Amino acid sequence: MSAHGAQDPPVEPSDPPKRFAGIRAALRFTGLPTSWLDKRPKLPSRNWLIFLTTVSSVTGYYVYDRRQCKQIRQTYIDRVKHFSEEATDPLALPRKVTVYGAKWPGDEDYNQCIKHFRKYVKPILVAAAVDYEMIVGKRHGDIARRVAEDTRLRRRIDLGIDVDSDYTKVLPTYKPVSEQRQAELDGGIVIVGRPTFKEFMAGLKKGWTDGLDEIDQDEVLARDLESDGYFDESDDGVDNGESGSSEKVASQPLIKQPPAYTPLYTSPSSFLTPSTPPMRGKIPQALNDPPAEIPQLPPLLLVNFVDHLGFKQIPLMLWGFFNQRHQVRSGAEAAYRLIMKTTRRIDKGQNDLDFGTMDEAYYKKSSLVDDINAARKKYYEALPAKLDVARALSRGAREPTKEERENPPPTEVELRAGRMDKERRWRNDLVGWSIINPSSNVAWDERFTNALQIFVDPTESTYSSD
C-alpha cells in the first residue's frame, strides 16, 4: 500500500520467454544476439544495389569472356591435335615455321608482336606439333635488314658460292640444300602486324635485288664519317683550357697524323671511292646480277595485330580486355590456316598488300625524326669541347683536374667509336621509320607474283601448293 492508503494496481504477469526450436535454438547458445535470430532479410539500400549490380555485371562479363576463350581455343586444339599423334621417323625434323615480329611505332616494349603470337597463335601450333623460330626486331628496320641478309646468303648457297663444310655434312641431322628448301616450303613464315609486313617485304625486295658481295657496313660508315671534318684539327692550334700556356701551344705547328687504328676506324684503300662499297671477294657479274625469276618462297601467314597506346585509346584497351575472345578466335583461325596448308598466290590486285592498312590509324603520333635531329644537334655541339679535352690530356698540354682524375674523360678513340655507334643507330632508325611510315607503300616486285603465297581459309583457296 502507498503512504496515502491507496492500493497499487495489480501487476500483470509478463509474457513467457520465446522458445526457439531447431537450428535457431542451437545458434542461441553460440552467443549470437537474440535480435539476429528474429531478423528478417530485406532489400539493401539504393547505393548498395548500384554497387552490387555494377560489380556483378562486370565480373560476370569477364568470367563469360574468359570461359569463351577457353572453349574457342580448345575447339581448335581438338581439330588439329591428331597431327601430333602421327608416327614419324625418329631423325625427321618436325614442321617448322619462322615468326617475325617488328617493333610497334611508339611502344618502347619491342616484344609486343611476339607476345601476341605466344598468347593467341602458339597454343594451336603446339597442339599440332609445329615447331617455330621467333625473330624479334628491337628497333625499326631490324627485320628488314635481317631478311635482306638471309636472302643474300640463300642466293649465295643456291649458286654454290658458299658451301657447307665437311664437318657439317657428316652430322646425322644434316640435310642437303634441296631438302632444306623443301622443309622451308612445308613450314611457312608468320608475319605479325602491319609494321612487320612492311619491313619483311622491304628486306625481301632488297635481298633479291642487291648484289651478293659481302659488304662491311661499319667500314662504309667509317669512310662516310671520315670526310665530314668533325675530327679535323685546325691550323691555329688547340685550345687546351690553360690561359698561361695558350700562346705556347698556339706557336707549335700541328702536324696532322693518321688516327690510331681501331676496328671501327680504318683508312680506306686508295682505289676505293666513297661511292664504291668495300667488297670481300669478287663475284662474276653473271652471278651477281639479280635473277630474272625468283624461286618458290615459303608461304606467308598474315596475323592481325594492333597495339593500343596513349590516353585516347584507353576505351579501346578496356574493350579489348573484356573481349579477348575475338583475339583468341582470330589467332586460332590464323594458326588453323597454316596447319591445313591451304594457300594461294599473293595478288596485288586483290588488295593483299593492304593487309593491316586500317591498323596504321592507331599508330601513336611519332616524333622520331625530330628527336633524332635534336639529339644529333646536341651531340655535335658538345663534341668539340670533349675533343679538345681529350687531345690536350693525351698530348700532355695540361694536367688533369681532380674531377678528371676521378672520372677520366673519354679519349679521342672512344669519342670516334661512340660517334660511330650513335650515327649507326640514328641512320638505321631513320631508314626503318621510312619503311613503316604510314605514308609509305609496301615494297613490291613483280617477280613476287609467282614466288609468294599466302595462307587462306580452305573455303577461300583458289590455288593450292599441292
Side-chain angles (χ1 to χ4, degrees):
M1 296 179 64
S2 63
H4 301 284
Q7 296 182 353
D8 294 334
V11 179
E12 297 180 358
S14 59
D15 296 336
K18 191 174 183 180
R19 295 180 177 274
F20 297 97
I23 188 65
R24 300 176 67 188
L27 293 176
R28 179 186 178 188
F29 295 100
T30 60
L32 294 176
T34 307
S35 60
W36 286 22
L37 302 178
D38 295 334
K39 194 170 185 179
R40 295 182 179 180
K42 63 179 181 179
L43 289 176
S45 64
R46 173 178 172 272
N47 293 339
W48 272 106
L49 283 175
I50 295 174
F51 173 76
L52 294 176
T53 302
T54 304
V55 172
S56 59
S57 300
V58 173
T59 304
Y61 194 76
Y62 174 82
V63 173
Y64 168 78
D65 179 71
R66 295 307 185 267
R67 186 177 299 172
Q68 288 294 112
C69 291
K70 293 181 180 179
Q71 293 179 359
I72 295 171
R73 185 178 291 112
Q74 189 61 40
T75 299
Y76 281 90
I77 289 176
D78 294 338
R79 290 184 183 181
V80 301
K81 66 180 181 181
H82 65 277
F83 289 101
S84 62
E85 300 172 356
E86 297 177 354
T88 58
D89 185 1
L91 295 180
L93 297 177
R95 185 183 176 191
K96 187 175 182 179
V97 299
T98 304
V99 184
Y100 290 97
K103 181 178 180 292
W104 187 267
D107 196 344
E108 296 299 328
D109 187 1
Y110 56 83
N111 211 25
Q112 288 296 328
C113 290
I114 297 300
K115 289 180 179 178
H116 181 86
F117 166 79
R118 288 174 175 171
K119 187 174 183 179
Y120 301 113
V121 183
K122 170 189 169 183
I124 314 301
L125 298 182
V126 172
V130 177
D131 195 7
Y132 58 90
E133 177 188 3
M134 296 182 295
I135 299 177
V136 186
K138 296 183 178 181
R139 306 187 72 89
H140 296 317
D142 285 354
I143 296 296
R145 286 186 292 273
R146 173 66 180 268
V147 173
E149 181 64 17
D150 291 346
T151 303
R152 187 186 66 84
L153 294 178
R154 169 188 172 141
R155 291 172 57 191
R156 291 176 64 93
I157 293 175
D158 293 344
L159 294 174
I161 300 175
D162 295 338
V163 295
D164 296 328
S165 63
D166 296 335
Y167 299 99
T168 304
K169 294 180 180 179
V170 299
L171 295 175
T173 57
Y174 173 76
K175 301 293 182 183
V177 176
S178 59
E179 295 185 12
Q180 295 179 17
R181 297 291 178 257
Q182 185 60 40
E184 294 175 358
L185 294 177
D186 294 338
I189 296 175
V190 180
I191 306 295
V192 185
R194 174 75 172 178
T196 308
F197 182 56
K198 279 189 169 182
E199 289 198 27
F200 177 83
M201 295 299 292
L204 196 65
K205 181 178 180 180
K206 181 178 178 61
W208 286 103
T209 304
D210 290 355
L212 301 178
D213 295 311
E214 295 183 0
I215 301 176
D216 189 349
Q217 299 297 336
D218 289 341
E219 188 174 348
V220 175
L221 180 59
R223 291 191 297 106
D224 189 16
L225 297 179
E226 181 190 16
S227 58
D228 57 11
Y230 280 103
F231 281 84
D232 294 345
E233 299 186 46
S234 59
D235 296 334
D236 56 352
V238 178
D239 184 10
N240 58 1
E242 298 288 343
S243 58
S245 59
S246 59
E247 297 180 358
K248 179 179 179 181
V249 175
S251 61
Q252 296 177 355
L254 295 177
I255 302 176
K256 289 188 177 182
Q257 298 179 354
Y261 172 80
T262 63
L264 296 177
Y265 183 86
T266 54
S267 179
S269 304
S270 58
F271 62 91
L272 288 178
T273 60
S275 60
T276 304
M279 296 180 295
R280 300 300 182 190
K282 189 65 176 177
I283 299 177
Q285 189 64 28
L287 300 179
N288 207 15
D289 290 337
E293 294 183 359
I294 298 177
Q296 192 67 41
L297 300 177
L300 307 180
L301 176 66
L302 306 180
V303 180
N304 288 295
F305 169 70
V306 179
D307 187 9
H308 294 293
L309 300 171
F311 181 79
K312 295 182 179 179
Q313 299 188 30
I314 289 180
L316 297 175
M317 300 178 194
L318 295 176
W319 187 90
F321 178 77
F322 289 101
N323 293 273
Q324 289 193 9
R325 59 187 181 276
H326 302 300
Q327 297 287 352
V328 172
R329 186 182 301 277
S330 176
E333 290 176 351
Y336 185 72
R337 291 195 296 268
L338 185 145
I339 294 170
M340 299 307 295
K341 300 182 181 180
T342 307
T343 61
R344 65 168 173 83
R345 289 191 180 95
I346 191 170
D347 190 354
K348 185 178 180 181
Q350 295 187 14
N351 300 327
D352 289 338
L353 300 184
D354 295 337
F355 161 74
T357 303
M358 302 300 296
D359 300 339
E360 293 181 341
Y362 299 105
Y363 284 2
K364 187 177 180 180
K365 186 177 180 181
S366 177
S367 59
L368 178 64
V369 178
D370 296 336
D371 293 343
I372 291 177
N373 292 334
R376 179 178 284 168
K377 180 180 179 181
K378 181 179 179 181
Y379 172 77
Y380 281 111
E381 287 177 351
L383 180 61
K386 296 180 181 179
L387 192 58
D388 291 343
V389 172
R391 287 173 175 171
L393 294 178
S394 64
R395 297 171 182 176
R398 66 174 179 85
E399 293 294 330
T401 62
K402 181 179 179 181
E403 182 179 357
E404 292 173 347
R405 291 192 185 96
E406 296 176 353
N407 300 302
T411 62
E412 183 175 353
V413 175
E414 293 174 346
L415 289 175
R416 289 180 182 271
R419 180 201 178 200
M420 189 168 181
D421 292 339
K422 291 180 180 294
E423 281 290 345
R424 183 192 302 110
R425 183 175 67 253
W426 288 333
R427 298 187 183 195
N428 290 341
D429 288 346
L430 290 176
V431 172
W433 174 248
S434 65
I435 295 175
I436 66 173
N437 194 337
S439 60
S440 62
N441 298 323
V442 177
W444 177 253
D445 194 315
E446 292 300 331
R447 296 174 295 173
F448 293 158
T449 303
N450 297 325
L452 276 180
Q453 298 179 357
I454 59 175
F455 290 101
V456 295
D457 294 331
T459 56
E460 299 178 4
S461 176
T462 58
Y463 172 79
S464 176
S465 60
D466 296 333

